[in-house]
Structure formats: structure tokens, C-alpha cells
Amino acid sequence: MQKRTCCGVVMVAALAGLGGCEWEFGTVGSDEDGSLTLKLADAPVDDLAEVVITVTGVELKPSDDDSITINFDDPQPIDLLDLQNGDVETLLDDEGVPAASYEWVRLILSQQSSDQYVTGDDGGTYGLVIPSGDQSGLKVNAGFSVGDNKSVSMTLDFDVRKSVVAPTLNPSTYFLKPVLRLVKDDNVGSISGTVDESTILQTRCASVGDFAGLVYVYEGADVEPDDLGGATEPVAAVPVNNRDNPGVYRYKASLLNEGDYTVSYSCDKDDVEADESLSFLDPVNVEVEAGEDTDLDLE
């Protein structure tokens, strides 16, 4: 069972947020309740073994009222790297909430420092520091609405590749600068396919451990590809690998809003903190339809 409370609005700095249009899910503004399902997912990464956060509740902010806090009976440790390629963690399951327009969603995190940590490929465990995380948690400024007697299902897409910053001054500590998107489940699809083995071999990706490059997905058609943190930020940068079928290099980019995208591939290692010049394949335009997986092979 979960406990719900209302509290006054506290002015806090958002760690991450997206602007955009407010989604409409039926008529809003009455005293009736609707229901909300909220899930957490993560874009794939290839150089960490675990990224664990511990969530203690969810806070929602109606546009014209005090925020609502839904506290979990027990803290929920979540390894974000388990939430890839369609796997999700359900935080709220058809939870009754007031029918209203909402301004933001916030995941409330445990204030125990040991409840957030990273495990590297070397097997070592490292602290995970979230600046102001104990005050503002993981917050997404994205408007949405819940209608009278309507059920709404959404997913928080957590991009660990863009969010986790490797240690610099302190080798025992990673930093989390959260990059999250809030998407309506009925409005998303995916892109998946292969990267030709000859392309992998020509770029020598196959010789660098398990790393076989990244497929970059940009919102809109005819976008000039750029690196993480560059002027043109990809919606997703997902790893390519052949773990399931040696010699067949596959990728999948999930939770993409319906619309047009530009897709490309690069073997170069990408560092979100650095300004780099990466080599990309010729970009390809592709359309994503809600509820559909679009097949796209790159060569």
C-alpha cells in the first residue's frame, strides 16, 4: 500500500526537465478522480554493470493546487541498467489522482548515500552523488493532464549514458546529472535493426572489447549528426552489439514519440562531457509510428 499526502509547494531547482506541449487526456478541472500509471525505463549503455537509485515515492504538482506526494511503504532500489529495450519498473500502477492539469513529476530519492551507487565493469562499487538530489530528487518539468475517470499511462525515460559522469578528482565517486523525458505510452514506438558487419570491421569497432559503436537517433528529418552534448543533441544513442548472435550486430532505440527522425551510426567513443568530432555513416530518415517497431538496417 502507498500513502498519499498533500503539501505546500516548495521552490526547488529542477535537475532535469523538458518543455513542450501539455498532453490532453479528456476533460479536466472537476472534482472527479482519474488514474495514473507511471513507469521508469532507461536507454541502453555499455560501460557500466549497475547504476542503482532508491526511490521512496513520487510527487506530482497540479497546476492550480498544492503538490501531491505518494510515499511508498518500502523504498524501491532500482538498477537502471535492468530497464532497457522495453523492460520497465512500474512506480505507480493505476494510482487514483485528482483530475487536473499537472506541471511536473518528481521521483523522491532515499537520503541514505549508500542507497545510490554505481558498479563498474571492473566489479568495483562507487558512490553516486546526485547534486541536490535529497531536496529536489529527479524532477521532470513536463506538463500533462489526467481527465475525469480517465486512465493515463506514461513512462519516465532515464538516459544513463547522458546522465552519469565518470570520476575526475575523486576516483571513488560518480556524479548523476539526470537527463529524463516523460512520454505518453500510447504515443511511442521504436526503431531497431542491424549494422552491417563489414561496416563494424572497417571501422575496427569489433576489436575494441565489446564496444561496437553507437546508433544515434535525432528528432526530425535531415538532421546533421552530432555527438552527445553537441549543438544537435540526439534523442537516443544506443549501443550496437552481437551478444545474442555472433556476427549479427543489432541495436534498438525505444520510447520514441511518433514522428520523423534521422538515424546514423558511429564507431567513435563518445563522451558527453567533451566536445568531439565523430565520424558518422550517411544519415537515414525514418518515420516512427505509435505502437510500432520500425525496422532499419544500416550499412
Side-chain angles (χ1 to χ4, degrees):
M1 181 178 295
Q2 297 166 348
K3 302 175 184 177
R4 187 193 311 176
T5 61
C6 291
C7 58
V9 180
V10 179
M11 298 303 293
V12 292
L15 289 181
L18 293 176
C21 298
E22 182 177 327
W23 296 318
E24 296 290 345
F25 304 112
T27 304
V28 298
S30 78
D31 293 330
E32 298 295 326
D33 275 358
S35 64
L36 176 64
T37 295
L38 181 65
K39 294 171 284 187
L40 182 64
D42 176 36
V45 297
D46 52 8
D47 55 357
L48 295 170
E50 290 181 305
V51 177
V52 176
I53 62 172
T54 299
V55 182
T56 64
V58 174
E59 187 177 7
L60 308 169
K61 175 58 176 69
S63 298
D64 299 320
D65 210 341
D66 293 339
S67 64
I68 300 164
T69 300
I70 303 168
N71 292 310
F72 302 154
D73 286 344
D74 299 302
Q76 295 187 17
I78 301 170
D79 180 3
L80 296 171
L81 302 194
D82 286 341
L83 310 181
Q84 302 181 14
N85 298 322
D87 292 330
V88 297
E89 178 79 19
T90 300
L91 300 172
L92 302 179
D93 188 5
D94 210 28
E95 181 78 18
V97 297
S101 296
Y102 290 84
E103 295 177 354
W104 48 257
V105 176
R106 182 170 75 99
L107 302 187
I108 305 170
L109 301 182
S110 168
Q111 296 189 30
Q112 298 292 326
S113 59
S114 59
D115 285 343
Q116 273 74 235
Y117 61 89
V118 167
T119 302
D121 279 344
D122 58 1
T125 299
Y126 305 90
L128 181 62
V129 174
I130 306 170
S132 300
D134 54 344
Q135 285 85 34
S136 59
L138 303 180
K139 182 178 175 183
V140 180
N141 291 321
F144 64 97
S145 296
V146 177
D148 300 346
N149 299 311
K150 299 292 184 180
S151 297
V152 178
S153 181
M154 297 185 299
T155 298
L156 279 168
D157 182 23
F158 199 121
D159 196 330
V160 167
R161 181 178 299 280
K162 299 179 185 178
S163 302
V164 175
V165 180
T168 52
L169 298 178
N170 184 351
S172 65
T173 303
Y174 282 73
F175 284 87
L176 184 66
K177 298 180 179 179
V179 177
L180 300 118
R181 297 185 304 133
L182 185 65
V183 298
K184 181 177 177 280
D185 292 345
D186 288 344
N187 196 42
V188 296
S190 60
I191 303 172
S192 64
T194 63
V195 178
D196 190 85
E197 184 177 19
S198 64
T199 299
I200 301 289
L201 295 175
Q202 286 172 11
T203 55
R204 300 181 61 82
C205 268
S207 65
V208 187
D210 292 331
F211 182 76
L214 300 172
V215 168
Y216 293 74
V217 181
Y218 302 86
E219 193 168 13
D222 299 320
V223 175
E224 184 70 25
D226 201 353
D227 62 315
L228 296 172
T232 305
E233 186 77 14
V235 176
V238 296
V240 178
N241 67 73
N242 67 341
R243 297 188 188 104
D244 294 335
N245 188 0
V248 178
Y249 293 86
R250 298 199 60 84
Y251 72 93
K252 183 172 184 177
S254 302
L255 295 174
L256 300 173
N257 283 317
E258 188 173 53
D260 294 324
Y261 291 86
T262 302
V263 179
S264 189
Y265 165 82
S266 178
C267 170
D268 297 334
K269 282 281 189 178
D270 201 347
D271 182 355
V272 71
E273 294 291 293
D275 185 15
E276 300 157 319
S277 179
L278 308 184
S279 297
F280 289 94
L281 287 184
D282 290 339
V284 179
N285 291 336
V286 63
E287 182 180 0
V288 171
E289 297 183 7
E292 300 292 332
D293 180 43
T294 301
D295 188 67
L296 178 65
D297 294 335
L298 302 173
E299 57 183 36

